[in-house]
Amino acid sequence: MAALTQVVYLSNRPAVLAETLTYVRHFSPWLTDVVVLAPRPALAALGDQPGLTGVAEDELLSAAEQRSVPVDHSVRNAWLRRLLAERGPLHDVFLQSDDDYRPLRPVTPADYLDGERLISYACHELARWRRNESPYDAVQHATYLALSYLGGPHLNYASHQPQPIDRALFLDAFAAGLALDPDGPFCEWSLPLNHGRLVAPERFAPPRTYRTMCWPRWPHEGWTYWRRPEDIAYENFHPELYADGGLFHGIDTALDPESPQQQAFSKLRRWYAFDLEAGRLRFPRGLADPWRTTPARRGLLATARRLRKVYEYVALEERTALSELAGAVARLEQERDAR
């Protein structure tokens, strides 16, 4: 296998991507080949950068395809990535990323390759993804049904961090999915990384837990953790978190060239502290978190706090038993891994 040196982006936010690339060049300097698929004006705004190859959408797509670009964000991204894999200047193995995935610590090829095997990072199990409130949710459900029908695994790899991609297996996965449903809104992450394990399991290392801060944007927002992020190495960048009332207000969005690790750690501390407090329905003053945006939500939060206090009194024995069971399972896993 050739060395992993290429990272591939879709973007229509040149300022965000340019800032992200400063993080990538600092923490992952081995990624020397950057490919960006974007509208032509966005590429012009991005300008010339070392090692960067721009692919304009009107260069990649035929005139008919340009008139039929999917409207939904998730469906559009998967469609564009498939065409880029078919026609673009991509390596046989590349790192697939988005313009808001920013490394917070040194990340090396060993984080993505185990010998000849690709290392993928999962954040959930699609069979347990029960949200159905957005186009993103619809894509997860469609992907789960296709993978389940084909007899493959179905972890959620839309972990909001880069993932290594085998170009041929990526195209095979979409060919298999589109054979079931030509209009299928399949996930650009979960479909290829699960289908690849079905047809070429030897190409993949066991999946690991994802390493992303701000997915979800706020801890506990929107969905319950199935896998809590471990050894956080990436930030899923949200500009609003740096505005007044944001969790990272007062921290510069741009990489601090003098103390980048101190800057990253300050964000991790805030994220972790908020996670601990939010888990107990306590929220610091002054933050524009999603639980207190309206009087109705504040009322629901007050009710939930009262109910939590009742639960803490009446369920002490059950919670103790669950804690003991979790400890026993952890010990068994440690013993298994040591063998």
Side-chain angles (χ1 to χ4, degrees):
M1 182 189 295
L4 179 60
T5 61
Q6 187 180 68
V7 59
V8 179
Y9 295 97
L10 302 187
S11 182
N12 192 17
R13 302 184 296 176
V16 171
L17 178 57
E19 205 170 72
T20 293
L21 289 176
T22 64
Y23 283 81
V24 173
R25 290 182 177 121
H26 179 82
F27 286 114
S28 299
W30 46 275
L31 288 168
T32 55
D33 184 359
V34 178
V35 175
V36 180
L37 175 62
R40 196 170 292 274
L43 290 177
L46 193 60
D48 292 331
Q49 298 197 28
L52 190 149
T53 301
V55 179
E57 289 184 5
D58 61 5
E59 173 188 345
L60 182 77
L61 307 177
S62 68
E65 288 168 338
Q66 291 178 55
R67 293 191 295 268
S68 60
V69 175
V71 175
D72 174 69
H73 173 76
S74 297
V75 178
R76 178 181 182 276
N77 279 6
W79 185 73
L80 287 174
R81 287 197 191 275
R82 177 172 60 83
L83 296 179
L84 183 61
E86 287 179 354
R87 309 168 185 174
L90 305 191
H91 295 177
D92 291 340
V93 176
F94 59 90
L95 201 63
Q96 181 166 283
S97 193
D98 269 336
D99 63 13
D100 47 7
Y101 301 171
R102 298 184 170 180
L104 296 173
R105 59 196 287 185
V107 179
T108 73
D111 290 294
Y112 298 110
L113 295 177
D114 176 12
E116 296 291 308
R117 301 187 301 171
L118 308 183
I119 300 171
S120 312
Y121 294 86
C123 64
H124 218 281
E125 161 59 71
L126 290 176
R128 299 187 185 185
W129 189 265
R130 306 307 298 167
R131 285 172 52 90
N132 195 25
E133 302 170 9
S134 70
Y136 172 84
D137 298 322
V139 166
Q140 307 316 307
H141 296 308
T143 303
Y144 163 66
L145 289 174
L147 289 166
S148 178
Y149 181 85
L150 293 168
H154 30 71
L155 290 179
N156 187 339
Y157 290 106
S159 298
H160 290 65
Q161 68 167 83
Q163 303 273 17
I165 297 293
D166 181 302
R167 182 176 182 172
L169 292 177
F170 183 93
L171 293 173
D172 286 347
F174 274 93
L178 295 173
L180 298 177
D181 181 359
D183 300 316
F186 300 122
C187 176
E188 68 212 86
W189 310 92
S190 297
L191 182 68
L193 293 177
N194 283 294
H195 186 267
R197 285 173 163 80
L198 172 66
V199 299
E202 72 283 355
R203 291 285 286 114
F204 296 90
R208 297 184 184 178
T209 299
Y210 79 123
R211 308 172 71 190
T212 313
M213 180 178 72
C214 302
W215 175 237
R217 179 182 54 174
W218 296 82
H220 311 283
E221 179 189 10
W223 48 274
T224 303
Y225 284 123
W226 179 69
R227 290 187 171 187
R228 182 177 293 275
E230 298 176 354
D231 303 325
I232 289 174
Y234 285 92
E235 172 189 359
N236 183 34
F237 173 69
H238 293 274
E240 62 272 21
L241 290 181
Y242 292 82
D244 288 345
L247 187 59
F248 304 136
H249 176 61
I251 301 175
D252 198 342
T253 62
L255 180 75
D256 181 348
E258 300 300 324
S259 53
Q261 291 180 309
Q262 187 178 75
Q263 179 191 39
F265 194 67
S266 66
K267 289 187 274 190
L268 283 170
R269 279 203 312 267
R270 292 193 193 183
W271 171 264
Y272 187 75
F274 184 90
D275 189 2
L276 292 176
E277 292 299 289
R280 300 187 64 81
L281 303 180
R282 297 194 296 244
F283 302 96
R285 293 183 181 275
L287 287 183
D289 62 74
W291 292 272
R292 298 175 293 180
T293 53
T294 65
R297 289 194 174 191
R298 290 192 290 271
L300 287 172
L301 178 60
T303 300
R305 283 171 172 161
R306 289 193 291 270
L307 291 173
R308 180 181 176 85
K309 288 181 180 179
V310 173
Y311 168 75
E312 287 177 347
Y313 279 112
V314 301
L316 178 60
E317 184 175 349
E318 289 80 0
R319 288 188 292 117
T320 300
L322 286 173
S323 180
E324 292 174 348
L325 178 60
V329 169
R331 287 192 296 274
L332 288 173
E333 290 177 342
Q334 290 174 350
E335 293 172 359
R336 178 201 62 197
D337 294 341
R339 289 198 294 269

